[in-house]
């Protein structure tokens, strides 16, 4: 048995009771688990302070001196023990409210102690409550250098497994390693990055002699964690390319060229062209494409999707475009049908509200290949929807779909069709590298020319009149306005009330017949929603009062004002999405964030960030810092983001390094067969085995 697999029960200092607790409370079953229970911070005990230099702001510090007197004060529950502790510069009080008898019997008077804790100023003097006490023995690990602090739980504390108790166990374990740990990185990497050996890293992470040793150990362990993950993701990508045959779109033909040369209403942006080339390079090969297209709202992803679908059409294949909402699907259908009206290409739409009769015809036309492009919602996923030869699947706003849903589209042909997933929610590179590390990623980082930045203002309720006047001015200029209310599941009823009250208030300020106001919310019937939406799209209504149902995709270029009510309740990416609904025409557009008077610090950061920048990637970086990766992505993703020591925000440099090194390695030795990579290959095998269920698709 490998030493790291030794059951924790065998470690000196771990009896059956403690073993049980370690397993239950910390999921530490083996030596290896204990070794990887890293300290979460360190206390610097390398410096000894003096009582004279204490200030009310002193952090936890260490003093050296002797106790000259004990004193007990108070009765029963209020009883406390006070020790008068003296060094060469003064006297302070050490205070205990608990374990009084234990301290009295264990701690000696007139003996040198190192005392550690946070001094508090009290009536002109200082005291330290429940200090850590150490006799000054030689080689006492707790009296030198950086002391590790471990996560422990109350249950563990009760059985002596405090942070310090765990430290003692680790201390017993480290000598047993005895350089028995195999190296997991290649000699080349270790040298190139100047990393300590694996055994040394574990020693230094638990018992660093100094800050330098600690930093090197952290660097290695973080690198290693990122490196194997990136290696795994990149290998998944390579394997998939080898394993899944796809459909080759060998030639660009009439459909593509005619559209591109004759009907394309504008020049593509540089970014659109670049991304199209990336897609073209993928789909011309008989290997399945799995590509994530990131592009800020309004960057023109729809057109890229359409041109990609034309590549399929030209090679005799069908393609489909799936959107998360009916409104959006309809809009795509209308846009694309208009684009293609002069060409002999059949476009159809399928949503939940497609009538049974139409559905039957549609199914038939799909099966016999009459339909070239199918646009729709989740309805596309149904088993009854059978294609003749589906070869490209485009998924808009992919984060709105689950993995299982997306996977259904894979099964709609003999080989899996090419997949292009699109998202307008920019994700920081560090995050996408991890989360989508097994996909190819394209980025549209350029907006079509002539767009004006949306001017963003942050107002409170007290500016209501001002906001209404501003709305009047804009309506006079024949612009349209969105007013959005939050919709949060836990308080759906309350939100509905807010929305309807808001709607009534708006109608009062903007009465018929001079003004027309639409309202759209999640509890309306789809056809009513559609009707209201259409009135707004057609410019019949001046104002659209809505919940976040309009968040994704909707395109009304004449709308120039986005008012977001209770803006502090929205997340950053949602605010950014909503703002993206305006600024789509050539007019100056505005976004007004209306918040209450009391906003949390985080809320303020969010709103201020929106005021400061229009750049989705910048916004997503802030979002990542505020929320952390797990929350930011809505759900904790299948373990991809569970790091023991690394942090994709703090350690993003190491992450880039690791990705790059993993990439270089696989380019040179894709199957990890070279002798020099034997360490890596040996460590990777069990790593991959534990993650077999991971092969996330699209
Ligand atoms: P998104 O990436 O948010 O899906 P859309 O595809 O809806 O963006 O495009 C937003 C708007 O920009 C549309 O009105 C579209 O016609 C227009 N557009 C797209 N590409 C260009 C371009 N290269 N030049 C000018 N306008 C463009
Ligand atoms: Mg879009």
């Amino acid at each position: 048995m490998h030493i790291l697999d030794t059951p924790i029960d065998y470690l000196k200092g771990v009896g059956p009771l403690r073993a049980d607790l370690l397993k239950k409370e910390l999921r530490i079953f083996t030596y290896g688990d204990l070794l990887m229970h890293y300290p979460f911070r360190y206390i610097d005990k390398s410096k000894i302070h003096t009582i004279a230099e204490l200030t009310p702001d002193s952090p936890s510090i260490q003093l050296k001196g002797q106790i000259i007197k004990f004193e007990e004060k108070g009765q029963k529950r209020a009883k406390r023990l006070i020790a008068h502790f003296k060094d060469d510069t003064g006297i302070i009080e050490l205070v205990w409210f608990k374990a009084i008898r234990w301290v009295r019997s264990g701690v000696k008077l007139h003996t040198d102690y190192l005392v550690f804790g946070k001094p508090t100023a009290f009536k002109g003097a200082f005291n330290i409550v429940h200090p850590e006490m150490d006799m000054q023995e030689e080689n006492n690990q707790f009296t030198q250098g950086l002391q590790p602090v471990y996560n422990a739980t109350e249950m563990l504390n009760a059985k002596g497994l405090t942070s310090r108790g765990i430290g003692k166990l680790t201390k017993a374990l480290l000598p047993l390693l005895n350089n028995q740990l195999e190296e997991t990185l290649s000699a080349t990497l270790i040298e190139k990055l100047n990393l300590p050996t694996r055994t040394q890293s574990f020693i230094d992470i638990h018992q660093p002699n100094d800050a330098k040793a600690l930093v090197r150990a952290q660097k290695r362990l973080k690198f290693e964690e990122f490196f194997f993950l990136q290696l795994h993701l990149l290998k998944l990508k390579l394997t998939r390319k080898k394993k899944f045959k796809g459909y080759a779109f060998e030639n660009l033909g009439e459909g593509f060229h005619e559209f591109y040369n004759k009907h394309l209403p504008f020049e593509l942006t540089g970014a659109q062209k670049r991304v199209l080339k990336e897609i073209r390079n993928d789909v011309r090969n008989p290997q399945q494409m799995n590509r994530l297209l990131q592009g800020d709202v309004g960057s023109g992803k729809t057109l890229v999707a359409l041109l990609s679908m034309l590549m399929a059409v030209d090679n005799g294949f069908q393609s489909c475009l799936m959107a998360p909402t009916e409104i959006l699907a309809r809009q795509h259908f209308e846009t694309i049908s208009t684009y293609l009206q002069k060409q002999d290409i059949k476009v159809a739409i399928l949503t939940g509200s497609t009538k049974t009769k139409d559905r039957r015809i549609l199914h038939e036309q799909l099966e016999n290949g009459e339909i070239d492009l199918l646009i729709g919602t989740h309805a596309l996923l149904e088993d009854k929807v059978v294609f003749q030869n589906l070869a490209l699947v485009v998924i808009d706003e992919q984060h709105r779909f689950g993995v299982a849903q997306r996977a259904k589209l894979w099964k709609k042909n003999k080989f899996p069709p090419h997949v292009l997933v699109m998202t307008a929610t920019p994700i920081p590179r560090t995050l996408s590298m991890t989360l989508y590390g097994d996909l190819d990623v394209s980025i549209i980082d350029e907006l079509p020319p002539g767009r004006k930045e949306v001017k963003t203002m942050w107002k409170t309720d007290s500016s209501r009149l001002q906001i209404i006047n501003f709305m009047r001015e804009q309506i006079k200029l024949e612009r349209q306005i969105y007013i959005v209310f939050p919709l949060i599941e836990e308080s759906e009823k309350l939100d509905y009330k807010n929305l309807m009250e808001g709607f009534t208030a708006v109608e009062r300020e903007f009465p018929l017949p001079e003004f027309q106001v639409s309202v759209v919310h999640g509890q309306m019937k789809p056809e009513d929603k559609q009707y209201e939406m259409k009135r707004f799209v057609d410019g019949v209504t001046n104002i659209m009062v809505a919940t976040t149902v309009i968040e994704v995709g909707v395109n009304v270029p004449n709308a120039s004002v986005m008012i977001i009510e209770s803006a502090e309740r929205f997340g950053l990416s949602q605010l950014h999405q909503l703002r993206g609904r305006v600024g789509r025409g050539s007019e100056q557009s505005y976004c007004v964030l209306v918040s209450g008077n009391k906003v949390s610090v985080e809320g303020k950061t969010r709103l201020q960030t929106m005021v400061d920048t229009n750049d989705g990637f910048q916004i997503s970086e802030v979002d990542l810092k505020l929320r952390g990766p797990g929350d930011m992505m809505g759900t904790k993703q299948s373990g991809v983001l569970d790091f023991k020591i690394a942090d994709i925000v703090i350690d993003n440099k190491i992450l880039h390094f690791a990705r790059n090194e993993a990439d270089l390695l696989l380019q040179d030795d894709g199957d990890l067969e070279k002798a020099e990579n034997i360490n890596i290959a040996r460590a990777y095998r069990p790593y991959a085995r534990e993650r077999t269920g991971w092969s996330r698709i699209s």
Side-chain angles (χ1 to χ4, degrees), residues 454-493:
V454 179
K455 285 199 177 130
T456 303
M457 293 158 273
W458 173 13
K459 301 280 177 195
T460 56
D461 264 328
S462 50
S463 309
R464 196 55 73 183
L465 255 175
Q466 199 194 339
I467 297 172
I468 288 169
N469 286 335
F470 175 66
M471 290 169 66
R472 289 223 168 83
E473 281 167 29
Q474 288 289 312
I475 293 176
K476 232 181 242 157
L477 292 169
E478 301 191 348
R479 307 281 138 68
Q480 288 165 283
I481 298 173
Y482 291 103
I483 306 179
V484 176
F485 285 82
L487 182 64
I488 295 175
E489 271 154 42
E490 304 94 73
S491 58
E492 222 167 275
K493 278 207 186 97

Side-chain angles (χ1 to χ4, degrees), residues 635-659:
T635 48
K636 303 255 181 273
Q637 301 263 336
S638 60
V640 188
L641 293 172
D642 292 344
F643 296 107
K644 275 196 155 36
I645 188 166
D647 178 312
I648 64 170
V649 178
I650 299 168
D651 306 315
N652 69 79
K653 267 205 195 118
I654 303 180
L655 170 57
H656 279 93
F657 245 139
R659 170 80 172 189

Side-chain angles (χ1 to χ4, degrees), residues 655-671:
L655 170 57
H656 279 93
F657 245 139
R659 170 80 172 189
N660 194 32
E661 290 301 335
D663 200 11
L664 288 176
L665 173 66
L666 289 178
Q667 278 178 35
D668 178 56
D669 185 13
D671 292 321

Side-chain angles (χ1 to χ4, degrees), residues 3 75 88 139 229 239 418 452 518 528 567 569 582 623 640:
I3 174 145
Q75 294 293 312
D88 296 340
N139 294 328
L229 175 60
T239 314
H418 297 296
K452 292 202 177 79
S518 284
D528 296 343
R569 285 175 57 190
V582 298
D623 205 19
V640 188

Side-chain angles (χ1 to χ4, degrees), residues 266-269 272 295-303 339 396 424 448-449 451 553 555 557 581 584:
F266 29 64
E267 169 101 9
L268 292 184
T269 62
Q272 282 171 318
D296 216 338
V297 278
S299 60
K301 293 185 292 295
T302 316
L303 214 49
Y339 276 145
D396 199 13
R451 294 277 168 81
N555 189 27
R581 296 305 105 217
R584 311 191 131 233

